[in-house]
Amino acid sequence: MRISSVVAGVVLAALALTGCGGNSGSAGDAGVPDDPAKVKGDLTYAIWDVNQQPAMQEIVKAFNQKYPDVKVSISLATFDQYFTKLKTQGSSDNLPDVFWMNGPNFQLFAANKQLGTLEGLTEAKQVDPANYPKALNELYTLDGKQYGVPKDFDTIALWYNKKLFADAKVEPPTAEWTWADYKAAAVKLKAALGPKGIWATGDSLGNQANLYPAMLSNGGYVIKDGKSGYGDPKSVEALQFWSDLVKGGFTPNAAQNAETRSQERFFDGKAAMMWNGNWVVSAALKSPHKNDLTVVPLPKAPNGGRKTVIHGIANVMSAKSKNPEAAAAFLAFLGGKDAALIQAKAGAANPAFTGTQTDFVNSAPQYNLKTYIEAAEQYAEPYPVSKDTGVWNKLEIDELVPALGGPKPMSEVAPQIATKMDEALGKEKK
Amino acid sequence: MSKSRSVDGKWPWVFVLPTFLGVLAFYLWPLLKTMYDSFTETGPFGGATWVGAANYSQLIGDSEVYRAIVNTVVYTAIVLLGIPIAVLFASLLNRPGLKGAMVYRTLFFLPYVAMPTAISLVWRIIYNGEYGVLNQALGVIGIDGPSWITEEWFALVAVALLGLWMSIGFNMIVLSAGLKGIPSELYEAASLDGAGSAQQFRSITVPLLTPSIFFLSVITTIAGFQLFDQLFALLGPTNPVMPKTQSLVFLFYDAAFVGNERGYAAAVAVLILAVVGLLTLFQFRFQRRWVTYD
Amino acid sequence: MTKRADQQRLGSNRLAHVILVIGSLAMMFPFLWQLKLAFSSNAEIQAVPPDLLPKGLEWTNFTEVFERLPFLDQFWVSVAVTLGRTVGQLVLCSMAGYAFARMSFRFKGLMLALILSILMVPSQVYLIPQYQIIQQLGWLNTIQGIIAPGVFSAFGTFLMMQFFKTIPAELEEAARLDGCNPWQTFWKVVLPVAKPGLISLAIITVLASWADLLWPLVVTSSPNEMPLAVGLATLSGYQGSISPGVMMAAALMAMAPILILFVVLQRRVVEGIAFSGLK
């Protein structure tokens, strides 16, 4: 009877739970045998973006032409649940064999010995870090060991709607713009378009797209030598820039953003400009106003500085994969040029493999996507992370962003965030 | 019949054991495990260490817990308003000779059977700060409405109004059962004495309904302390107003399945158990006086 | 009832109708508004001021639900979970309830007390260990994982026990004298008589399973393996936005089966809930 076997299974599982734990041997830093036909096994590959699933499936198909005896099944979770799920899988030694990783979560997984290093693959020349931007290699390196093979990268640039600028009779942005120009344009845009329910800017006040680039451009910092940069006067000035834009009614505040993401306002033609990353390209192409949009470099800070953060997803493998050779083979393939070109042609992500970005840029020629590649080459800084980035990211979302445009000046709010963040960073060292 | 016979032999076990073992594995053992877990701290990738009462002292010092309790009280207070409203409607509905009572009953009950996560999406759009029909209606009478689901306190009120709306149908069913228990002779005698409808309502209906009303108050309060679905579905888990609007259960969910702090989450669960336990005890203590089995 | 009192009460029923109509409109408004929005374009939905009636019937929202969301997958998960839980509870709870109502065996009192004790415990208290059991079984993101704890119900057992106690024992005595064993007696004689109780339990379980959020939210993470309740509640987790009209169309289709069931079985649903609400 089915029910009774269910019951028996449950009881067994309940008993098994009382004595869990147990370490299997580290399978991490495996290399790949020279003969692909010898590599066998089943793999799970976990990702979070449904838009990229078709490209990933195509990569698996290409991989199977070389390794016919490895079966890869793709497991998709929504981003909100992705890392929660990984953590619980990690706690029972059930991580997927190969999976997507991002900067904020990387060190937590690496420091807790969940990830396999790339040592075996790099020694065998199956993965060469020289093929990827340096900042991304650094992002996925902990204590001198690299764990992640960069998959794609994103930087930040200024998007604007040409038609809305023309309607408002405002000069469109140029690469020479400063923050003052941005704000002056916002004032004019608001006067002309505000009555029609159109916002001057559709900035989402996100850390990656808005806060970090501004803080870095202005000469401030987010985290340095294990200390928070939110108390730094240059950082505070940058935050005040955003706060003033919100206060003036040029940019939606956190509450308004929560209801309708500002990025959606921009693509619905309800906002004239915004700072955003190249991950929005596929959304731009679906917009009813897609032909009115384009991209220029970010405006410069008052001191003439211009910086963006560079972030990218990496592919990593579990330290406890049951098929370490197959996992390593797949990881190496994901890091190769063929996989990069498949991604680029699909237009879903900007591949990290140097020299393969042309296809991505050409997937939407009207947007001048070269801006993003140049940003990465010329003025990008690594995305700021620590061992447990999630803790202070939460501070940014819960306490800093809602205060933008509020009654308290940033010189009061930001140092408080810095204190709490330093406290969190202090706990990490234990 | 003879109950003491042992002819049943092994049969009772065939009938009882599937459920009993299931309850043992999925409920009783988890109950003990949660109690135990509340004294441990779990690492991000498992591995629990005994920390004594540390989670409880963290609980006592956690301002989010107090805020969650305050939110729950405010939420419950608003949803409790659904009881007087339901008393009014139920007593109108149970008037003898009222035509279309079944139609009304269906309509009033619809919100209770609708899927909370689905209907919450509808309310999310009704509440929308920019184009929501609620603010547009308020605009007609000259009020500039807030962004209901993203501003502090307003979001809580928005969730509570949804809870109120969903509760009325259930309240009416319980109250209708109570109303049927009131002998019609009472009303007849009152009308012979010249008492009007309003007076009958005040002096007969309401006093004789107090048992049902009390029962509903306790049920509503217990449910209030378990608020989760509407909160999650109406506001969305990543809403920035959530830390200021969350309930104890959301706090638990967030700690257990997002923050992965299983030990602390277990302590929050034990707190919920204590609160609900007290309320249940309260209910049982008084239930004999006012619940009629039939 | 005297004629005079009757007349007096009928006379003021007009006022009662007015109040009840206002009340039911307030109850109905979100449903009507949803219906309207589901058939409206995005521009209409965001129009200020809004039109009370839709300009035309916009079916694209519905087609887009199937293009943008794994709606059908989620629908079948919901159906399977609801059926699995309901059938499981009907079988298990009526068996256990029958034993507790009619049979005598060792530890009966203790077992009943243990089962009933969980009635007073809020479900969150079980959640983490339940999750860990499902994880150990490798049942995350599976239908049996969503169903599993919910087929065992203290409440259902109690409900059925109470119900069996109201059935006269003579029938069973007769069956026993005919040579039926307890299983045959239960299956052929008792269950047919217990239909009203079973229907009440079925209705409550169907409503609860279809709407259940927290448990399936915890044990599923792939969009095409979660039930509708979770799929709708986590729409914000999707990359790329889902427009309000599409959301309304999805919500409408998700609750339609339950609303239809309710309207068809209205009296039984109300009775079932009244019966269980006053446990």
Side-chain angles (χ1 to χ4, degrees):
Chain A
M1 219 171 121
R2 256 186 102 181
I3 291 295
S4 59
S5 69
V6 167
V7 172
V10 166
V11 173
L12 283 180
L15 292 175
L17 258 183
T18 44
C20 56
N23 267 325
S24 45
S26 165
D29 37 13
V32 189
D34 293 329
D35 182 5
K38 281 187 189 149
V39 184
K40 290 190 175 104
D42 291 353
L43 296 179
T44 309
Y45 180 36
I47 66 172
W48 67 70
D49 185 356
V50 68
N51 290 332
Q52 295 197 38
Q53 198 172 13
M56 296 303 118
Q57 262 151 358
E58 228 176 292
I59 291 175
V60 169
K61 219 185 275 168
F63 171 72
N64 279 340
Q65 285 177 353
K66 207 170 159 197
Y67 293 92
D69 295 327
V70 180
K71 188 173 167 288
V72 182
S73 39
I74 293 177
S75 143
L76 174 77
T78 59
F79 183 74
D80 286 350
Q81 285 167 293
Y82 182 82
F83 284 102
T84 311
K85 185 182 164 193
L86 281 186
K87 283 178 202 166
T88 50
Q89 286 172 328
S91 60
S92 57
D93 292 350
N94 271 326
L95 276 177
D97 304 278
V98 180
F99 51 100
W100 285 8
M101 177 51 67
N102 71 2
N105 283 286
F106 161 68
Q107 295 196 7
L108 185 70
F109 280 76
N112 282 289
K113 305 202 171 17
Q114 300 293 318
L115 306 182
T117 72
L118 298 185
E119 278 172 343
L121 287 171
T122 46
E123 273 166 29
K125 301 270 180 239
Q126 282 151 333
V127 169
D128 184 0
N131 287 328
Y132 318 106
K134 196 164 147 269
L136 291 185
N137 288 325
E138 282 167 18
L139 186 61
Y140 292 103
T141 299
L142 182 71
D143 300 331
K145 283 181 186 161
Q146 186 167 349
Y147 294 83
V149 183
K151 169 188 167 299
D152 54 27
F153 74 77
D154 36 58
T155 54
I156 310 299
L158 172 58
W159 286 78
Y160 70 95
N161 184 321
K162 290 182 275 192
K163 183 164 178 299
L164 289 180
F165 270 79
D167 287 353
K169 301 194 173 62
V170 180
E171 282 296 306
T174 67
E176 297 313 310
W177 260 27
T178 63
W179 291 2
D181 295 320
Y182 192 72
K183 204 169 163 185
V187 173
K188 287 185 217 152
L189 289 164
K190 188 190 174 199
L193 305 173
K196 292 186 215 158
I198 296 170
W199 289 85
T201 98
D203 289 299
S204 57
L205 306 177
N207 53 8
Q208 191 181 352
N210 301 104
L211 309 187
Y212 297 167
M215 288 160 74
L216 297 172
S217 296
N218 202 41
Y221 62 99
V222 181
I223 177 172
K224 198 158 63 188
D225 305 328
K227 287 278 172 208
S228 168
Y230 277 100
D232 182 83
K234 300 280 183 201
S235 305
V236 171
E237 265 177 39
L239 295 170
Q240 193 60 46
F241 165 68
W242 287 115
S243 190
D244 290 344
L245 280 167
V246 175
K247 204 168 203 166
F250 308 115
T251 302
N253 64 24
Q256 287 156 332
N257 260 312
E259 213 163 24
T260 310
R261 281 193 301 173
S262 280
Q263 174 187 321
E264 287 162 31
R265 293 182 213 274
F266 180 77
F267 292 124
D268 274 345
K270 292 270 169 69
M273 54 183 179
M274 65 170 180
W275 298 20
N276 222 325
N278 44 296
W279 62 81
V280 300
V281 172
S282 56
L285 289 169
K286 284 184 202 148
S287 158
H289 308 275
K290 61 180 177 187
N291 296 326
D292 299 329
L293 313 178
T294 193
V295 175
V296 292
L298 287 181
K300 291 174 181 167
N303 63 8
R306 169 155 55 203
K307 298 267 186 220
T308 163
V309 286
I310 176 168
H311 176 261
I313 298 171
N315 286 300
V316 295
M317 61 180 168
S318 161
K320 289 158 190 164
S321 169
K322 287 175 189 77
N323 291 307
E325 283 181 0
F330 185 52
L331 186 62
F333 188 82
L334 286 169
K337 197 168 180 175
D338 294 345
L341 287 171
I342 293 173
Q343 281 193 72
K345 288 205 177 94
N350 176 29
F353 198 96
T354 310
T356 61
Q357 288 93 10
T358 330
D359 280 303
F360 179 71
V361 171
N362 291 341
S363 71
Q366 67 272 42
Y367 294 159
N368 196 20
L369 296 177
K370 224 169 57 239
T371 313
Y372 283 109
I373 317 299
E374 284 163 4
E377 287 161 356
Q378 294 163 15
Y379 51 91
E381 299 222 348
Y383 184 87
V385 291
S386 71
K387 214 168 251 175
D388 201 353
T389 317
V391 178
W392 50 269
N393 277 172
K394 196 166 150 54
L395 284 176
E396 295 170 339
I397 294 167
D398 289 352
E399 298 183 29
L400 181 66
V401 176
L404 292 172
K408 288 187 193 159
M410 282 299 125
S411 54
E412 195 178 318
V413 177
Q416 286 170 1
I417 304 282
T419 312
K420 288 186 187 170
M421 181 167 156
D422 280 336
E423 219 171 274
L425 291 170
K427 272 188 202 158
E428 285 180 1
K429 296 209 183 81
K430 276 198 297 191
Chain B
M1 70 179 216
S2 58
K3 257 209 148 183
S4 56
R5 63 174 186 228
S6 53
V7 285
D8 292 336
K10 276 178 273 173
W11 283 106
W13 303 105
V14 175
F15 280 80
V16 158
L17 274 187
T19 294
F20 183 72
L21 290 180
V23 167
L24 199 64
F26 276 115
Y27 295 89
L28 294 171
W29 186 78
L31 177 63
L32 297 177
K33 177 83 163 45
T34 296
M35 301 271 188
Y36 173 83
D37 282 352
S38 71
F39 295 101
T40 64
E41 189 178 308
T42 36
F45 294 96
T49 43
W50 182 266
V51 291
N55 288 324
Y56 289 96
S57 46
Q58 189 189 340
L59 196 71
I60 291 167
D62 189 343
S63 60
E64 286 198 331
V65 171
Y66 292 100
R67 185 60 196 262
I69 293 174
V70 169
N71 290 339
T72 305
V73 172
V74 173
Y75 171 85
T76 308
I78 294 176
V79 178
L80 280 173
L81 293 177
I83 299 176
I85 296 173
V87 169
L88 173 72
F89 287 130
S91 56
L92 290 175
L93 204 56
N94 281 276
R95 291 168 74 90
L98 185 93
K99 284 197 187 121
M102 213 55 193
V103 177
Y104 287 127
R105 206 186 305 275
T106 311
L107 297 184
F108 275 94
F109 202 56
L110 227 41
Y112 181 75
V113 289
M115 218 176 155
T117 50
I119 203 71
S120 295
L121 291 181
V122 180
W123 279 79
R124 193 191 278 188
I125 293 182
I126 292 176
Y127 280 135
N128 187 291
E130 284 166 51
Y131 56 82
V133 69
L134 175 63
N135 275 359
Q136 302 209 23
L138 288 175
V140 172
I141 54 171
I143 299 173
D144 190 13
S147 170
W148 285 91
I149 59 166
T150 55
E151 281 178 38
E152 194 179 354
W153 297 117
F154 286 108
L156 184 59
V157 171
V159 174
L161 287 178
L162 170 59
L164 170 82
W165 175 77
M166 286 171 70
S167 74
I168 288 177
F170 176 74
N171 291 351
M172 282 174 64
I173 286 186
V174 173
L175 291 165
S176 295
L179 283 166
K180 292 210 177 82
I182 302 178
S184 56
E185 293 82 27
L186 286 178
Y187 290 108
E188 286 166 32
S191 356
L192 287 177
D193 290 345
S197 290
Q199 206 178 339
Q200 287 180 18
F201 178 75
R202 248 196 330 268
S203 57
I204 302 172
T205 312
V206 173
L208 288 175
L209 272 183
T210 40
S212 309
I213 292 172
F214 190 60
F215 169 77
L216 280 175
S217 315
V218 177
I219 293 277
T220 307
T221 313
I222 291 176
F225 268 91
Q226 304 204 55
L227 166 67
F228 181 80
D229 292 14
Q230 300 100 290
L231 187 70
F232 189 95
L234 182 66
L235 301 189
T238 51
N239 192 322
V241 84
M242 196 54 111
K244 291 167 185 145
T245 315
Q246 67 192 347
S247 63
L248 280 176
V249 177
F250 189 89
L251 196 67
F252 161 81
Y253 164 79
D254 201 49
F257 295 100
V258 182
N260 231 20
E261 302 168 272
R262 296 278 155 84
Y264 185 63
V268 176
V270 173
L271 173 70
I272 299 171
L273 173 66
V275 173
V276 173
L278 277 177
L279 288 167
T280 312
L281 211 66
F282 184 66
Q283 181 206 337
F284 270 72
R285 182 93 177 69
F286 291 91
Q287 99 159 336
R288 233 164 283 142
R289 284 197 215 154
W290 41 266
V291 176
T292 44
Y293 288 99
D294 48 11
Chain C
M1 183 161 285
T2 65
K3 260 190 183 158
R4 214 186 115 209
D6 230 20
Q7 278 164 354
Q8 193 186 345
R9 307 195 94 208
L10 282 178
S12 54
N13 271 357
R14 209 165 293 149
L15 180 63
H17 277 296
V18 172
I19 300 176
L20 285 169
V21 166
I22 294 174
S24 21
L25 277 180
M27 293 291 119
M28 286 303 295
F29 176 75
F31 294 100
L32 299 174
W33 197 242
Q34 174 187 26
L35 205 60
K36 187 229 154 194
L37 295 182
F39 288 102
S40 302
S41 69
N42 220 5
E44 273 178 80
I45 291 172
Q46 304 194 7
V48 180
D51 299 306
L52 282 177
L53 289 171
K55 286 206 178 100
L57 291 184
E58 186 85 39
W59 286 99
T60 51
N61 288 331
F62 290 88
T63 52
E64 216 176 303
V65 168
F66 296 100
E67 285 162 18
R68 302 282 305 275
L69 306 170
F71 187 87
L72 271 183
D73 289 342
Q74 295 181 352
F75 180 84
W76 290 119
V77 171
S78 280
V79 170
V81 166
T82 303
L83 276 179
R85 264 205 207 177
T86 309
V87 172
Q89 274 201 25
L90 287 180
V91 173
L92 294 176
C93 295
S94 61
M95 280 164 63
Y98 180 67
F100 283 123
R102 283 290 203 268
M103 296 173 166
S104 55
F105 46 98
R106 286 185 77 182
F107 309 122
K108 178 174 160 182
L110 176 69
M111 281 162 82
L112 184 61
L114 281 175
I115 291 178
L116 293 189
S117 70
I118 70 170
L119 271 180
M120 285 159 232
V121 180
S123 63
Q124 300 84 40
V125 178
Y126 312 118
L127 206 65
I128 300 174
Q130 282 179 339
Y131 171 85
Q132 289 165 331
I133 295 171
I134 296 300
Q135 189 185 24
Q136 289 282 322
L137 290 170
W139 284 0
L140 292 179
N141 275 317
T142 64
I143 286 172
Q144 64 267 36
I146 309 174
I147 293 176
V151 294
F152 309 107
S153 165
F155 171 71
T157 304
F158 177 70
L159 194 76
M160 292 315 295
M161 179 182 84
Q162 295 293 84
F163 192 84
F164 288 127
K165 280 184 178 167
T166 65
I167 299 176
E170 286 78 25
L171 275 174
E172 295 148 71
E173 292 289 322
R176 202 169 60 83
L177 291 175
D178 278 354
C180 289
N181 67 28
W183 178 257
Q184 290 163 328
T185 310
F186 172 70
W187 196 250
K188 290 185 183 151
V189 179
V190 179
L191 276 190
V193 187
K195 227 167 132 193
L198 291 172
I199 290 175
S200 284
L201 181 59
I203 285 168
I204 298 158
T205 315
V206 166
L207 284 180
S209 311
W210 195 265
D212 195 18
L213 174 64
L214 184 52
W215 172 251
L217 172 71
V218 163
V219 291
T220 61
S221 52
S222 315
N224 48 1
E225 279 149 354
M226 51 181 60
L228 284 170
V230 182
L232 291 177
T234 54
L235 278 183
S236 56
Y238 282 82
Q239 307 265 330
S241 60
I242 306 290
S243 77
V246 176
M247 257 190 223
M248 290 306 93
L252 188 66
M253 289 191 284
M255 59 189 185
I258 290 295
L259 291 184
I260 292 169
L261 191 76
F262 168 65
V263 172
V264 173
L265 296 174
Q266 213 233 99
R267 197 179 296 265
R268 289 216 183 263
V269 175
V270 172
E271 279 165 7
I273 287 170
F275 181 51
S276 63
L278 299 170
K279 52 172 179 185

